[in-house]
């Protein structure tokens, strides 16, 4: 987000599309927000161990199973801008939550 500071709001719009929300702040700035989702999965591993007597032949059997749990994360990115002519110039940004890149 820091790379957009000092540039036209058009730059992030070209990269991320139209903002999800735009609103004016009491100090004359405007906030532009993008809601960006990402998907992935988290592996869950379980192990099962048994000892069996296969007709007097003892064997230790270990079975490992991995399943993947789908995960979706939505992050809200905010850029602040001030008017300059017919454009808005980015003056700062709000850091998204810690989990968001």
């Amino acid at each position: 987000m820091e790379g957009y500071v000092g540039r036209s709001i058009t730059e992030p719009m070209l990269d991320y599309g139209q903002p999800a929300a735009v609103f004016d702040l009491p100090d004359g700035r405007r906030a532009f927000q993008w809601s960006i989702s990402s998907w992935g999965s988290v592996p869950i591993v379980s192990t099962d161990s048994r000892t069996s007597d296969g007709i007097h032949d003892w064997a230790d059997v270990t079975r490992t199973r991995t399943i993947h749990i789908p995960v979706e994360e939505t992050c809200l990115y905010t850029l602040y801008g001030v008017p300059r002519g017919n454009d808005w110039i980015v003056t700062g940004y709000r850091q998204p939550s810690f989990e968001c890149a």
Side-chain angles (χ1 to χ4, degrees), residues 11-76:
E11 296 297 319
M13 291 172 94
L14 289 171
D15 292 340
Y16 299 105
Q18 289 282 28
V22 177
F23 51 93
D24 293 327
L25 302 172
D27 62 3
R29 294 181 301 159
R30 184 171 282 179
F32 300 85
Q33 293 185 319
W34 286 264
S35 179
I36 299 174
S37 297
S38 60
W39 295 267
S41 66
V42 175
I44 305 294
V45 179
S46 63
T47 303
D48 179 21
S49 296
R50 289 184 232 179
T51 301
S52 66
D53 177 9
I55 309 177
H56 305 297
D57 291 331
W58 290 91
D60 290 326
V61 177
T62 301
R63 179 179 67 178
T64 301
R65 180 177 162 204
T66 302
I67 60 172
H68 292 270
I69 307 291
V71 176
E72 177 183 0
E73 180 177 61
T74 300
C75 298
L76 187 64

Side-chain angles (χ1 to χ4, degrees), residues 9 25 27-32 79-83 88-92:
I9 196 65
L25 302 172
D27 62 3
R29 294 181 301 159
R30 184 171 282 179
F32 300 85
L79 291 174
Y80 299 109
V82 295
W88 289 86
I89 303 301
V90 177
T91 59

